[in-house]
Each structure stands twice: as structure tokens, then as C-alpha cells.
Amino acid sequence: MSLKSQEIIAANQKKITIDVDRATFEKAINKTYKAASKNITIPGFRKGKAPRALVEKMYGKEVFYEDAINEIIPEAYAEAVKEVPETIVSRPEFDIESIDDNGVVLVATFFVKPEVEIKDYMGIAVERPILTVSDEDIENELKKVQNRNSRMIEITDRAAQNEDVVTIDFEGFVDGVAFDGGKAEGHSLKLGSGQFIPGFEDQIVGKNIGDEFDVNVTFPADYHAENLAGKEATFKCKLHAIKFNELPELDDEFAKDVSEFDTLDEYKADIKAHLEEENKKHADAHVDEELIKALIEKLEGEIPECMFENETENFVRDYDNRLRMNGLDLKTYFQYTGMDLDTLRKQMRPDAERQVKTRLALEKIAALEGIAVSEEEIAEEYKRLAEMYGMEEDKIKEVVEADAVSEDLKVKKAVELVREKAVITEVEHKHDAE
């Protein structure tokens, strides 16, 4: 088997012609015959014992060709593409050019990574937001910690208030008739949360444990259940329990309980330092994002559609893996969300396109700048990957080739170079605490 010829037949599409000699083809036919013969019955012969020549005489000499060619293709293709200098980015499509006494001539077509161009990637002008930490940001962080350390207490000596969590029974009626889905017992509801339709929670405020009362509301005109939209309804309710989420006092004792610090002021100072570090990361990420946008705009070249499709599928597989790590899978996720695979692909397609273009741009910059990676850097990266995934280095090397590690490191260096050469202007910007 050998590569007979290779040529570009369209933008980023290549065709290769592969010669398969008669001896190799004959061997594949014989293997196919032996596998199929056990199911062939010829009068005068026991099942599976008919000679190949007789089978071919009865059914035609081409009877085993298709299976034999399928037997040959994987090895023939793998050997041939070793001589293809470009990076192949799609699955091949095969055709048979000829079959004769000399063997078989196969044709494979596929897409290759495009040659792209990029200019003016040095000195890109971007703004870096200066994100300051306000007292409000610090207080918001403290509130989060307060909520995590709160405790739910039973209330028995007062009426229900906003922010209370009440336990109620209710049944809804429209024109005096109970409707489906309008009844529950022992339902837990936080007053003021907006969980129920407007006006419902407000009418529970002021009620005491054991009270039975009516709540009168009007369903919104755009309510999801059409039979209830815009209708007036009465809910007959009974209040069983009132609870309140008690927050700990913000004092030195609180700081000691939730941190390594002895005073609240020290703890606040640590929160501020942490938020400042987070703001720095946000600002750096913003700069990188703007630089990537600029590089994509400067990228020129015709990118095969299959590269976007392949990356989209990679995104879907990664998402499925993350779901499985949390005890779910795509099928269950689709049941919960009402989505389907095509919808998920459409959602992920823009990020996949961005990823492909970013990679192509940075690889081109690495090539133009002659960026190289040392053996020591590759070894260090293997060590980092092993630590990150909790695997032995030898196992990592089995699944990640050194060339792939080298290319990833070149891309990282290209990012660092573009960032280093960028013209960055710092701009005051208030960061909204999350």
C-alpha cells in the first residue's frame, strides 16, 4: 500500500489517491471469505465448506470486494496520511477509483487546517478597568457569610412578617371551583420572596399560627396556565408555623468563629484584600477578552465548517462530562430543561467558533514570531497536568502527546506576547459585587 498522489481540490479540501497492491487486496478478500463462509450454503457442500472459487462463480467475483475494501481502508489510510504535511481536521470520505488485476486504487477526501493570516497584532489598544472595593462590597460579603452561618428559629410569640418562612396549607378556587395545581399542604414559603403570584405573600403578613383565612388575588394576564390567566382567585389558607432565619451579630466573636482573625476589623481588612485580588483578576480577564476579540477581528482566512462543528461537539461532550460528575447526564438535563441536543449545539456554537478562531490566530502568531518550547518546559507542563488531574505523569503522557503539549505552550506564549506588547490604558470603573 502506498500514497500515489495528493492534491488540493478546493479551499482547504484535499484529495489523496492510495494504491493497494493485489497481494494485500487478495489477503483481505480471503479473510473476508473465511469470515463469511460459515453462513454460506451451496448445494453439495456442508454449510461453511464451499470453496471460495465456487462461491465467486455462483455470486460473482465481486461478492467479497466491499467487505475486503472496508477491511483494508483503516490501515491504508493511516499509512497514507503520514505523508500528508497538513493537519487533517475532518473525517475522510472514501471512493473507489478502480479495481483490477493490479489491486485497488482508493480515493480519500478531507479538510485540512487552513492557512490564515493575521497582521497588526502588536500594540493593540485596550482599556483595563480599575475596580475599587467599596464599603458596600465588604458589607455584601459579610452578609453572605452571615447567611451561611445563620440558624432557623421557631417563632411563636408574634405574627408573620416579611422575610419569615411560613408553613401553610392552601387550596385555590376560581368562581368557587377548585382548580388543578392550586392545592398544597405543609408548603414552606418565604414571605417577600415573590415565589407566589403578586399579592399572595402580602396577605399572609400579620397572620398568626393557627389562623385560617382567605387570600384574594388576580392571576397575571400572561400567566403560563391559560385557563387561569387574568382570573380572580381565592385561596383558603391555614398558617401552621413561622420561622425566622436569625443572623449572627457582626462583631469580634463572629470574626473569630468564621475566620482566623480575632477582630472584625481584621476580618474586614482580609475581605477587602481578597476582593481587591478578585478585582485584579477580573480586570486582567477583561484585558485578555478584549485582546482576543481584536485578534479574531484581525484574522483572515477561510475556515472549514467542520472545524466549528467538531469544536461544538467537543463543547457538548465536555458539558456532558461535567453533568455526569454531578450525577446527571444530557438526557436527564434535557428532561429538566425542555431543551434538546440541537438547541444545546446552537447555544454552544458561538463559543466554539470563537475558540477555533482564537486558536488559529494564536498559532499563526506563534509561527510568525518563531516561538519555541524547550524540553524542560514540556516536562514541567506534564508535571503540572499530572498534579491537576491527580494522575501519574506516565499516564498523562500516554493520553497527551508531547507535540500537543508543545503546541499548547506556544499558544500560551503567544497570548503573553500579545498582552506584553498591548497598549493598555487604565480606566476608573466601579465593580459591582456579585
Side-chain angles (χ1 to χ4, degrees), residues 150-165:
S150 63
R151 63 190 182 101
M152 193 70 72
I153 60 173
E154 294 275 354
I155 300 295
T156 58
D157 58 353
R158 65 167 173 79
Q161 301 175 357
N162 267 328
E163 303 299 322
D164 286 343
V165 176

Side-chain angles (χ1 to χ4, degrees), residues 165-215:
V165 176
V166 296
T167 302
I168 57 172
D169 297 339
F170 62 83
E171 184 173 14
F173 298 83
V174 171
D175 296 329
V177 179
F179 55 86
D180 290 341
K183 182 178 181 179
E185 294 181 357
H187 184 83
S188 182
L189 173 65
K190 183 175 182 178
L191 301 183
S193 65
Q195 180 183 342
F196 277 24
I197 59 177
F200 189 103
E201 296 167 24
D202 293 341
Q203 295 178 57
I204 299 177
V205 172
K207 299 297 189 295
N208 291 286
I209 295 172
D211 285 355
E212 296 185 25
F213 52 92
D214 290 348
V215 169

Side-chain angles (χ1 to χ4, degrees), residues 348-387:
M348 293 185 166
R349 172 65 183 242
D351 286 339
E353 287 191 15
R354 178 183 180 279
Q355 181 70 15
V356 169
K357 292 177 181 179
T358 300
R359 181 81 183 195
L360 288 172
L362 293 171
E363 286 177 345
K364 185 63 176 181
I365 292 171
L368 291 171
E369 296 297 326
I371 293 175
V373 175
S374 68
E375 293 296 327
E376 291 77 10
E377 288 172 316
I378 293 175
E380 189 62 30
E381 182 66 5
Y382 271 128
K383 181 179 179 181
R384 187 188 71 82
L385 291 172
E387 291 175 354

Side-chain angles (χ1 to χ4, degrees), residues 1 19 55 82 96 99 107 114 135 140 185 188 199 203 212-213 217 229 251 255 282 298 323 333 363 370-371:
M1 295 182 286
D19 266 338
V55 175
K82 289 179 181 178
I96 301 170
I99 301 177
V107 172
D135 290 342
N140 287 337
E185 294 181 357
S188 182
Q203 295 178 57
E212 296 185 25
F213 52 92
V217 294
D251 54 21
H282 282 301
K298 295 175 184 295
L323 287 174
Y333 174 75
E363 286 177 345
I371 293 175

